[in-house]
Amino acid sequence: MGETDNAARVSFFSDYLWHRDQALHDLAMVEIGRSDYAYSRPIGDRVSTSQILDELNNLNRFVYWPVAIRLLGLQNDPQARSIVRSRFAKALKSGGLHLHEWARAGIEADGVYAINEIGLALKGPRKTLDDRKALVRALSDAGSSQTQFQDEIVKVFADVLDGDPELTLQVAVATRNWGETALHKKFEALVALEETDPATLFFLNIVLQENTISE
């Protein structure tokens, strides 16, 4: 009970998606929604796009929409990709609820292009702090589950650290386990600033000390 970092558990529950017993279907949605994103990626095509869209078009299933968006982003068929691209673009403009999920789905569909679009959105003047945090979370999920994108994401994060210090802690948490040191010079500069808040300062020092030990 309570495990979220078990690929076999996610695979097991994915067999119950859209089971004829609604309680089992709901349980599977909950399990997949709470799991690490990397463990969800292999199950993408175990359900049909039409089933996912039925879920997204049902207001009574609103609580399960984040999971449905995750599953839609993992579909490879042209219909799903077209919908994801459209909703990703709209979400980047409007922000708000489910921005994290649509941003992550956009990266699944378009990779580096979507990452760069998210980078431009993070530079935009009209995004709330919650929206900006949601976009950093999406980039973090992508970098952790698709390591081929880490270099591009680090470039976006470098721009974020230069222009948006409120997101420093989120960026440090996102990249801590990537074995990536390209941002550490920026972290060191932020540690030296008096205006860096105590919680961020504490975590940055942990990250920098871990790097020193590993070297």
Side-chain angles (χ1 to χ4, degrees):
M1 292 293 292
E3 287 189 15
T4 60
D5 58 350
N6 187 317
R9 181 186 181 99
V10 176
S11 180
F12 172 82
F13 278 103
S14 69
D15 289 335
Y16 292 91
L17 286 168
W18 281 273
H19 192 279
R20 62 179 178 273
D21 185 321
Q22 187 67 43
L24 288 176
H25 166 57
D26 291 350
L27 178 60
M29 293 288 280
V30 169
E31 285 287 335
I32 289 166
R34 67 198 288 270
S35 69
D36 188 287
Y37 183 67
Y39 298 133
S40 302
R41 296 192 71 247
I43 69 169
D45 286 326
R46 292 194 184 182
V47 296
S48 72
T49 295
S50 63
Q51 288 173 316
I52 299 171
L53 293 177
D54 286 344
E55 193 95 331
L56 284 171
N57 290 326
N58 186 345
L59 282 173
N60 293 324
R61 303 290 297 170
F62 178 82
V63 69
Y64 298 102
W65 283 2
V67 191
I69 296 168
R70 176 186 293 205
L71 293 171
L72 187 68
L74 296 172
Q75 299 293 100
N76 290 315
D77 66 273
Q79 181 190 18
R81 287 294 166 92
S82 176
I83 293 169
V84 164
R85 289 181 175 117
S86 174
R87 295 297 298 270
F88 167 68
K90 291 178 181 177
L92 279 189
K93 290 180 180 178
S94 62
L97 197 62
H98 302 145
L99 175 60
H100 167 235
E101 288 81 8
W102 285 118
R104 192 168 55 188
I107 297 171
E108 288 287 350
D110 286 321
V112 172
Y113 169 79
I115 290 168
N116 289 333
E117 289 295 297
I118 291 171
L120 292 174
L122 283 166
K123 294 178 183 178
R126 295 187 298 276
K127 288 289 180 290
T128 67
L129 179 58
D130 285 343
D131 284 345
R132 302 196 311 274
K133 286 181 177 180
L135 293 175
V136 170
R137 283 177 58 208
L139 292 172
S140 174
D141 288 344
S144 296
S145 61
Q146 297 159 277
T147 56
Q148 71 272 24
F149 294 144
Q150 286 183 1
D151 287 346
E152 292 299 322
I153 293 170
V154 166
K155 292 176 186 176
V156 172
F157 283 161
D159 288 341
V160 167
L161 292 175
D162 286 339
D164 197 347
E166 286 185 298
L167 293 176
T168 299
L169 179 58
Q170 283 70 35
V171 170
V173 170
T175 59
R176 179 183 181 184
N177 297 321
W178 289 4
E180 175 61 62
T181 61
L183 298 176
H184 284 197
K185 289 294 184 184
K186 293 184 182 294
F187 290 160
E188 289 170 355
L190 289 163
V191 165
L193 293 177
E194 290 184 3
E195 56 265 35
T196 301
D197 70 271
T200 300
L201 184 63
F202 177 78
F203 192 81
L204 289 178
N205 277 318
I206 290 176
V207 171
L208 293 170
Q209 287 169 9
E210 288 173 345
N211 180 57
T212 301
I213 292 171
S214 66
E215 290 177 346

